[in-house]
Amino acid sequence: MIPGLKEQLVGLINEPGYVPLKMEELAKIFDIHTSERPMFYNFIEELEQDGYVVRTKKNKIMSAEQAGLFVGKFVAHEKGFGFVESDEEFVQDLFIPADYVETAMHGDRVVAEVVKEATDERRAEGKILRIVKREITEVVGTFQKCDARFAFVVPDSKRLTKDVYVPKSGFNGATTGDKVVCKITLYPRAGKKPEGVVTEVIGKKGDRYVEIDSIVRANNLPDDFPKKVQREAEQITAPTEADFEGRLDLRDWNIFTIDGDDAKDLDDAISIEKLKNGNYKLGVHIADVSHYVTEGSKIDKEALKRATSVYLVDKVIPMLPKELSNGVCSLNRGEDKLALSVIMEIDKHGTVVDHDIRETVIDSKARMTYTEVSDILEKNDEKLCKTFAHLVDDFRTAEELARILMDKRDRRGAIDFNFPESKIVLDSEGIPVDIEPYERRIANRMIEEFMLVTNETVAEHFYWLTMPFVYRIHENPSDEKMATLGKFISSFGYKVNNGKDEEVHPKALQTVLKKIAGKPEESAISAIMLRSLRQARYSSNCEGHFGLAAKFYCHFTSPIRRYPDLQIHRVIKEVINGRMDKKAKAHFEAVVSYASDHSSEQERAADVAEREVDDYYKAVYMEKRIGQEYDGTVSGVTNFGIFVELPSSVEGLVRLADMGDDYYNYDEENFCVLGERTKKMYKIGDSVRIKVVNVDIDRKEIDFKILKKY
């Protein structure tokens, strides 16, 4: 390769008249030898993925920004149009009309040009010029045989708007009605569908297990562990006295775990005591997964690939094999376990005045549940108080400290959404029989506060050490989203007060949430406010956490189920054991950057899968309730319908086309729909009576009819 080639090609000024250049032509211009051309092409592809565009006229490469182009991820909509999400921060997405999508598929990395500039009323519109990288390599969907010669696979994903053509040679045993995995062999061309071959038959459409597996596969989430990974996990044994050497021995401390009733992967435990000076000594003890999962091992590579455990209604897809997650790493009661402990001294104002981070060995004295501890603290349950008499004082001290920490977070402006949570209950056959409210009681909030203060303490400690690290960041919301939110809540008589600052502070949003607490509009305003915020993500740069109103934050407390936590543990152990030299630092700088980006992507995929599984079970549940009536709240309005949410968290759509009492128009300016003749208005937050009229399990959609407005 030519020395300094990138420097020759990159960073040049924009000049008019440039057009895309084929790689073969570029290789000839730079006199790249035939044997080196594959390497050269890979190099150009990497540049393109970084936002550089190959152009002619002087045969140079320039950035997309210099060329006036838009590079990013294409997000498709089921109606055919889409958006390109910019790589640049704080740059509004580019709207792509259906006619300008060309052959792009959802998730593709694309280059687009702006064809209409943005105005105050609408965002900029664009046209896709080129696909830089195809994201989707296989499709999960329903096999439909047309005749003996060909078939189609209809994708489960609404964002994949084109069926996949399958020739007879690609059937591979699939029959009509099968859920299949289809590998794409030819991407869409002008006027033609993508083509593919069936690589796996999951099972018959409609079967519960098949439907759930299809959702998992469609979101590219690996389920079973490879045999080599499983064998490696089975060879890991419980720690011995030799493993305890050099560790702080805390086995005589009153340490206990508090988790959900059915939790098996116990990765955090706590200890608490009141000191003579009036301060609190809080110990948060986290499973030392990094002792067993060494960097570069087969288990580690698989854990990085997964990046997170996925918690579905009826199953868990763990990041680590159960031999580790539920066994050797889990902080089970009465077993000697290796831990990484953060021992903090916290004063009466909730300030951490001292802390120590140590490798430890612990022995949990009790496996408590949120329900048990909450019943002790809230109800003074006589039987439970007697059973856990040796821990009751600790629970009360823990509650005391937790309330101090809650008050501190509240004073600094942390946003605490009070969304009602629900749990889908299945019978022995896996059929949903109920959707119960899930209470966030004092024990849940107590553990939440202890994990938050630990994560903040660890993040700040390593920020000031200037070490490579994985931070959990939540960037400030965009001005555009805040302006829209301000307009929306003003229709209810509220205001987001930014004070003297131009940027909104979380305290301003927190104030609104306090004012609406317990009022009919609480759910609606909270939902819109949440949608107005950016997604939290992992980053190797410490940029603060808007929602928590925290300058420093990370995820340290769940290494069994989150890869960033595991990676952080490795950095911490290198530092506290004096091994973080220049070579190690350079290594971790590269590792944490990739782990941050990849873990953020996998987290989003897991969220989508969890939501789709919930929607599937809710659809199955409501199918048996067609014709029944419920009270609900308008949760959204669009140009095609009104969304209504029931107290059970089930959401359904009332289609404007089906509303027979009037012709309704969508008033985007005032966030409502308005009847032309009756002037009847429906807006977010309105209470209504609905009837369930239809359920489409395949699309996971529920249709309602409004009977009356309260």
Side-chain angles (χ1 to χ4, degrees), residues 431-704:
I431 306 300
V433 293
D434 199 5
I435 302 177
E436 298 177 344
Y438 179 79
E439 290 185 278
R440 188 170 162 232
R441 299 175 67 188
I442 184 58
N444 305 69
R445 299 196 65 186
M446 193 167 76
I447 293 301
E448 189 177 292
E449 289 299 328
F450 294 162
M451 298 306 117
L452 287 171
V453 72
T454 304
N455 288 334
E456 289 182 44
T457 300
V458 170
E460 182 172 6
H461 181 100
F462 283 88
Y463 173 80
W464 292 115
L465 287 179
T466 64
M467 289 294 157
F469 214 63
V470 179
Y471 295 95
R472 181 69 169 178
I473 68 170
H474 187 213
E475 293 131 314
N476 288 0
S478 69
D479 294 341
E480 179 198 14
K481 288 290 182 70
M482 285 298 99
T484 303
L485 174 65
K487 197 173 182 181
F488 173 71
I489 67 173
S490 68
S491 66
F492 291 90
Y494 302 103
K495 181 182 178 183
V496 177
N497 187 357
N498 295 356
K500 296 179 181 178
D501 299 328
E502 289 187 11
E503 286 193 342
V504 68
H505 188 277
K507 186 79 173 177
L509 303 186
Q510 181 205 67
T511 301
V512 173
L513 290 176
K514 287 183 177 181
K515 288 180 179 178
I516 63 176
K519 296 183 179 179
E521 61 267 27
E522 178 182 12
S523 176
I525 292 178
S526 296
I528 298 298
M529 187 180 292
L530 180 61
R531 292 175 207 165
S532 302
L533 301 180
R534 299 183 191 275
Q535 274 190 310
R537 62 184 177 90
Y538 298 106
S539 174
S540 55
N541 297 316
C542 183
E543 299 177 26
H545 196 292
F546 179 84
L548 295 173
K551 291 182 179 178
F552 312 98
Y553 196 66
C554 71
H555 276 169
F556 161 82
T557 53
S558 296
I560 286 178
R561 62 184 180 90
R562 294 188 303 228
Y563 195 84
D565 305 52
L566 173 57
Q567 190 57 57
I568 280 175
H569 281 216
R570 290 185 180 133
V571 170
I572 291 172
K573 290 170 73 171
E574 290 294 301
V575 172
I576 64 178
N577 289 305
R579 297 192 297 260
M580 187 63 84
D581 55 20
K582 285 185 179 180
K583 184 178 179 181
K585 196 170 182 180
H587 166 73
F588 279 110
E589 281 173 350
V591 170
V592 300
S593 178
Y594 175 78
S596 298
D597 293 342
H598 177 67
S599 297
S600 296
E601 291 174 6
Q602 287 301 105
E603 178 185 42
R604 287 192 286 272
D607 287 344
V608 170
E610 289 169 4
R611 189 164 56 248
E612 287 184 355
V613 169
D614 280 359
D615 289 345
Y616 166 75
Y617 276 116
K618 287 176 180 177
V620 172
Y621 178 77
M622 295 304 291
E623 186 186 36
K624 296 181 179 179
R625 287 154 181 82
I626 292 175
Q628 294 188 17
E629 299 178 10
Y630 300 89
D631 288 332
T633 304
V634 174
S635 56
V637 290
T638 70
N639 60 357
F640 57 85
I642 302 167
F643 288 96
V644 177
E645 185 175 13
L646 308 184
S648 63
S649 77
V650 168
E651 189 174 59
L653 175 66
V654 180
R655 301 178 192 277
L656 296 187
D658 296 336
M659 295 181 71
D661 64 327
D662 203 347
Y663 182 83
Y664 287 85
N665 291 303
Y666 173 51
D667 185 348
E668 186 176 10
E669 188 78 11
N670 295 298
F671 310 97
C672 67
V673 294
L674 188 66
E676 281 190 356
R677 179 177 52 80
T678 62
K679 302 303 178 187
K680 186 183 289 186
M681 178 190 293
Y682 291 96
K683 67 179 188 301
I684 295 175
D686 283 348
S687 296
V688 294
R689 182 77 173 174
I690 63 91
K691 182 178 182 179
V692 184
V693 294
N694 187 51
V695 174
D696 186 333
I697 294 177
D698 287 347
R699 297 179 65 83
K700 308 174 187 68
E701 292 177 353
I702 303 164
D703 290 337
F704 293 158

Side-chain angles (χ1 to χ4, degrees), residues 81-196:
F81 61 84
F83 299 88
V84 179
E85 295 179 342
S86 173
D87 292 339
E88 302 296 322
E89 286 189 63
F90 312 122
V91 173
Q92 191 181 49
D93 298 344
L94 182 67
F95 174 69
I96 309 293
D99 290 343
Y100 288 164
V101 167
E102 302 300 330
T103 62
M105 297 174 67
H106 177 68
D108 287 348
R109 188 165 176 76
V110 302
V111 176
E113 66 175 342
V114 177
V115 295
K116 286 184 182 179
E117 296 293 339
T119 66
D120 291 338
E121 288 76 32
R122 58 174 174 77
R123 68 182 69 208
E125 292 186 12
K127 176 180 181 180
I128 292 177
L129 296 179
R130 182 163 53 88
I131 285 76
V132 174
K133 182 184 178 184
R134 292 289 189 180
E135 181 63 27
I136 294 174
T137 58
E138 60 182 28
V139 169
V140 175
T142 304
F143 186 85
Q144 291 186 350
K145 187 176 177 182
C146 296
D147 59 29
R149 297 168 299 161
F150 70 96
F152 290 100
V153 171
V154 181
D156 285 350
S157 173
K158 298 175 186 177
R159 295 186 184 276
L160 297 177
T161 57
K162 294 182 175 67
D163 298 344
V164 182
Y165 172 85
V166 181
K168 180 181 178 181
S169 59
F171 288 5
N172 293 328
T175 58
T176 295
D178 283 343
K179 284 279 188 174
V180 301
V181 179
C182 178
K183 180 182 178 182
I184 296 178
T185 56
L186 194 62
Y187 287 95
R189 296 146 291 163
K192 293 192 175 182
K193 296 177 181 289
E195 296 183 16

